């Protein structure tokens, strides 16, 4: 498993792209997708919703369990990935590409986000 170097990662296993015009893309990591098993349903925040770093903003349901989705940053949701809503398996098959979850106009980014190498150490235990 290779976590893309250009992304940052949360302790709750979400990834965050660098902001383009203040907007970052958010998804869950391959590690989290594998731990969940086959994702069969996603509940995402809606466009216009405010999200807060570390707070629950959605839910992922798999054949194994239901897991909360946490926002790694604070801001306003600008877009949700309707492809994932219609085909939740994208979270498993392409977590860093087509399986992204939502985009946020970032107002606050916590200082405790990991680099790819730091996240690898975190998941190694």
């Amino acid at each position: 498993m290779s976590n893309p170097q250009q992304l940052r990662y949360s302790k709750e296993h979400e990834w965050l792209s660098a902001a383009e015009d203040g907007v970052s893309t958010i998804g869950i990591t391959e590690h989290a997708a594998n731990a969940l098993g086959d994702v069969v349903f996603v509940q995402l925040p809606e466009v216009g919703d405010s999200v807060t770093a570390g707070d629950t903003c959605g839910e992922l349901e798999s054949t194994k369990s239901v897991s909360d989705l946490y926002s790694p940053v604070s801001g306003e949701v600008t877009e949700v990935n309707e492809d994932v809503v219609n085909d939740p398996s994208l979270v498993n098959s392409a977590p860093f590409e087509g399986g992204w979850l939502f985009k946020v106009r970032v107002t606050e980014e916590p200082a405790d986000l990991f680099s790819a190498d730091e996240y690898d150490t975190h998941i190694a235990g």
Side-chain angles (χ1 to χ4, degrees):
M1 180 179 341
S2 178
N3 293 301
Q5 291 292 318
Q6 74 274 19
L7 302 176
R8 281 160 294 151
Y9 302 86
S10 72
K11 292 177 184 171
E12 291 80 22
H13 310 288
E14 284 82 24
W15 59 261
L16 171 75
S17 72
E20 286 187 36
D21 296 327
V23 176
S24 289
T25 302
I26 294 169
I28 67 164
T29 65
E30 185 176 3
H31 173 80
N34 289 340
L36 276 172
D38 295 333
V39 177
V40 296
F41 176 77
V42 296
Q43 176 193 350
L44 301 175
E46 295 184 17
V47 171
D49 283 355
S50 292
V51 293
T52 302
D55 285 358
T56 302
C57 63
E59 197 172 83
L60 300 169
E61 183 178 326
S62 73
T63 54
K64 291 182 181 179
S65 67
V66 175
S67 179
D68 287 333
L69 174 64
Y70 298 91
S71 181
V73 293
S74 297
E76 180 182 338
V77 176
T78 62
E79 184 179 348
V80 297
N81 187 348
E82 292 296 334
D83 291 341
V84 165
V85 172
N86 296 324
D87 182 6
S89 70
L90 288 171
V91 172
N92 298 104
S93 64
F96 296 112
E97 295 88 25
W100 63 274
L101 300 175
F102 61 99
K103 296 185 180 187
V104 173
R105 181 164 307 285
V106 178
T107 57
E108 182 183 347
E109 185 176 308
D112 65 350
L113 294 174
F114 296 132
S115 68
D117 292 338
E118 291 167 333
Y119 181 71
D120 288 342
T121 300
H122 173 68
I123 61 176

